[in-house]
Amino acid sequence: MTDYQYAWMMYLIGAVGCSLAAWLLFRRAGRAWVHFVVITVMVILFTPYAVDAETMTMAPAVYTLLFGFMEGGFTAIKPVLKVMLGLWIGTLVLSLIYQLLTRNRGRAQPQAVHRQKHTKERHYDEEYAESARRASTRPLTREERIARDELMHEEPIRAVR
């Protein structure tokens, strides 16, 4: 391997690490935001651009943007921006199609299992879920709080209250 290939290998390892960090930072923000941020980071980091068109010497487009802007201004980086913008929009469209096709995949499974239960069990489950929902919205009384705290701390429950 040449020095050029080693440099690309190290750059790609770092770019994968940055993409993973972006995913870890935004994974709780929602599926659409995660896709948007990770795609943006990956397009910025992984887009190559030919520095020398005759020998096809490639460099990361983000470096070409930086050094091209310092040398020739905005007109020098227009071709690089067009390539990056095209990749970004194309990838976002593909991501949107993927999200639309797979949006209900995770929720369909429990409903199929729920339909297989017998009527009596289903009625009990629905009753239990409804009572749990109602119980979670009302505040606990003083006695209920004391009993809960004693159970949580493994203290004996008093016989007389």
Side-chain angles (χ1 to χ4, degrees):
M1 287 181 69
T2 64
D3 290 340
Y4 177 75
Q5 291 169 335
Y6 277 123
W8 263 107
M9 183 178 66
M10 296 305 288
Y11 178 80
L12 291 176
I13 290 170
V16 167
C18 288
S19 301
L20 181 64
W23 176 74
L24 287 171
L25 284 171
F26 288 93
R27 68 182 169 175
R28 297 180 195 263
R31 186 175 178 199
W33 282 106
V34 170
H35 280 247
F36 178 79
V37 170
V38 171
I39 286 171
T40 303
V41 168
M42 290 179 87
V43 164
I44 289 171
L45 294 177
F46 286 110
T47 305
Y49 194 76
V51 177
D52 186 13
E54 293 174 11
T55 61
M56 285 308 288
T57 305
M58 304 297 269
V62 69
Y63 290 130
T64 308
L65 277 174
L66 177 70
F67 293 124
F69 185 73
M70 289 190 326
E71 280 183 20
F74 183 73
T75 56
I77 62 170
K78 273 172 89 172
V80 181
L81 283 176
K82 286 180 184 177
V83 169
M84 290 179 76
L85 189 62
L87 279 173
W88 184 63
I89 290 172
T91 313
L92 284 177
V93 167
L94 288 175
S95 171
L96 178 65
I97 292 170
Y98 171 76
Q99 290 178 50
L100 288 174
L101 291 175
T102 61
R103 68 178 168 212
N104 291 330
R105 191 171 285 181
R107 289 180 232 156
Q109 186 76 16
Q111 291 174 356
V113 171
H114 186 69
R115 284 189 203 119
Q116 294 172 356
K117 291 185 177 181
H118 298 292
T119 309
K120 195 171 195 179
E121 291 174 357
R122 184 176 24 199
H123 181 67
Y124 174 76
D125 289 346
E126 289 170 0
E127 243 180 53
Y128 179 75
E130 180 64 25
S131 67
R133 187 188 61 76
R134 273 188 270 119
S136 67
T137 58
R138 72 169 175 84
L140 296 176
T141 64
R142 183 176 182 275
E143 291 80 21
E144 289 172 333
R145 274 186 278 137
I146 292 171
R148 181 197 60 198
D149 291 340
E150 288 175 349
L151 284 172
M152 299 273 297
H153 298 299
E154 297 180 10
E155 297 172 3
I157 298 175
R158 294 175 292 183
V160 178
R161 297 210 183 238

